[in-house]
Amino acid sequence: MALRRALVVGCGGTLGFAWTVAALTAVEEQLDWDARTAEVCVGTSAGAEVVSALGSGRSVSDLLAAVRGEPGADPVLLGHVRAHPGALPPFPWPGLPGAGLTAAAVRGRVSPGAGLVGLLPRGRGDAEWLRRFGAALAKDRPWPRSTRTWLVAADARSGRRVAFGAPGAPDTDLGSAIAASWAIPGWFPPVRIDGRTYLDGGAVSPTSADLLAPLGLDEVVIVAPMSSSGGAPATGLSRLERVLRRWMTRTVDAEERLLRAAGCRVVRIEPGVEELAVMGANFMDPRRRGATLDVSLRTAPGRVERAIDRSITV
């Protein structure tokens, strides 16, 4: 009987995208597996870009060529990598579109960290580059591979996570779903879909791997750019990034436990101190993308090997 394996790719911005491509390169090699064959691919924020590309038939090798900027790279992927929104957000609009997250945190429905994210103002960033990317990937189809590609966003009013593309989720086009999953409070505006307003799914969970628990899968591969088990020392502004990272790590810890309790083997890959030192405090800084990719291609094989070993022994 074939192994029922799913892939989860978490949020992580520009540098998390680059690190993810390196991690997936090692995952495919060591598991002798094509990530495009996953039973389900779940993506959040930058992870939504990755799984959308895989769902459209692009390979991890295609993604790697695009991040490297190779002349013969897939033109859709290469154009998207070059169309960067900038290292810093524009000055935001007034208003708190995520206030519902704060209210949900007070009621205990989401974490206190998500509640704090809800206090960020309305972003003014232009998400058109994400909509164009989705349209180019999907071509004449509204969604790639139907229920196998799930993009997670958070309902701005309730904090409830919605996996667009999953059974029962609101219908939308791929570009709108990517933009919703990427609607970072304070950076990009919320996205309206089917009468509801959505924010970046990473505001509630960096991976939303727990959404797969009811599916009875054999194995889930979690690629989590914003998680670092065991901590990661930092200096300067990177200390602020580590505050966010600690909260996200605890969230992924809980989701991993839930999957294991459901009888699922979990292979969890995340960056370590060496990669984080190269990334720095701003995970949206495109100037560090090349260095992040280079060091991650070197470190990822060891991290994946240890993750596979841990998945067997835990």
Side-chain angles (χ1 to χ4, degrees), residues 214-253:
L215 300 188
L217 297 163
D218 298 314
E219 182 176 277
V220 175
V221 177
I222 301 176
V223 180
M226 292 300 295
S227 170
S228 293
S229 298
T235 59
L237 291 176
S238 292
R239 291 176 178 173
L240 296 176
E241 190 268 358
R242 296 301 191 271
V243 173
L244 175 63
R245 184 171 291 275
R246 282 195 293 272
W247 161 55
M248 291 192 166
T249 299
R250 288 194 295 269
T251 302
V252 180
D253 288 345

Side-chain angles (χ1 to χ4, degrees), residues 110-131:
V110 299
S111 70
L116 290 175
V117 172
L119 297 176
L120 292 172
R122 182 183 181 89
R124 290 181 58 216
D126 185 358
E128 191 58 31
W129 64 295
L130 296 167
R131 295 181 185 276

